[in-house]
Amino acid sequence: QVQFVESGGGLVQAGGSLRLSCAASGRISGTIFSINAMGWYRQAPGKQRELVAGISSDGSTEYVDSVQGRFTISRDNAKNTMYLQMNSLKPEDTAVYYCNFKPKILASSWGQGTQVTVSS
């Protein structure tokens, strides 16, 4: 099993920035982490979890339209770690943010997530 630990969330005013981190752990996390695409997901209250950003094993990135130009996803395979730099935050970005493979694989589990709250 591969586990993920997300961190870096918090309360920020609209227009502010946060940098989220995602650390993978587990007996086989190193190999699986480096060869799989990864993604940042978020779930707002009363809504389905959605993918907001993805990064392939070779570093190609993709974003949902609502965060394009504001969020930047990156990864450090040597450290089994992924990041999400979030700038120009909006109240609608408020959610619990999770990381996982993209798509999620059977060998991975969801972490606790990290809460991001953007006040207007």
Side-chain angles (χ1 to χ4, degrees), residues 2 24-35 77 80:
V2 179
S25 63
R27 191 158 59 101
I28 55 176
S29 65
T31 300
I32 290 182
F33 185 90
S34 64
I35 66 174
N77 289 338
N80 293 340

Side-chain angles (χ1 to χ4, degrees), residues 9-33:
L11 173 63
V12 64
Q13 288 189 329
S17 298
L18 286 172
R19 187 187 193 217
L20 306 185
S21 297
C22 165
S25 63
R27 191 158 59 101
I28 55 176
S29 65
T31 300
I32 290 182
F33 185 90

Side-chain angles (χ1 to χ4, degrees), residues 6 12-14 16 24 40-41 44 49 57 67 69 71 80 99 106 115:
E6 302 90 351
V12 64
Q13 288 189 329
W40 279 101
Y41 304 77
R49 182 153 38 201
S57 58
V67 308
F71 290 11
N80 293 340
C99 61
L106 287 176
Q115 175 71 48

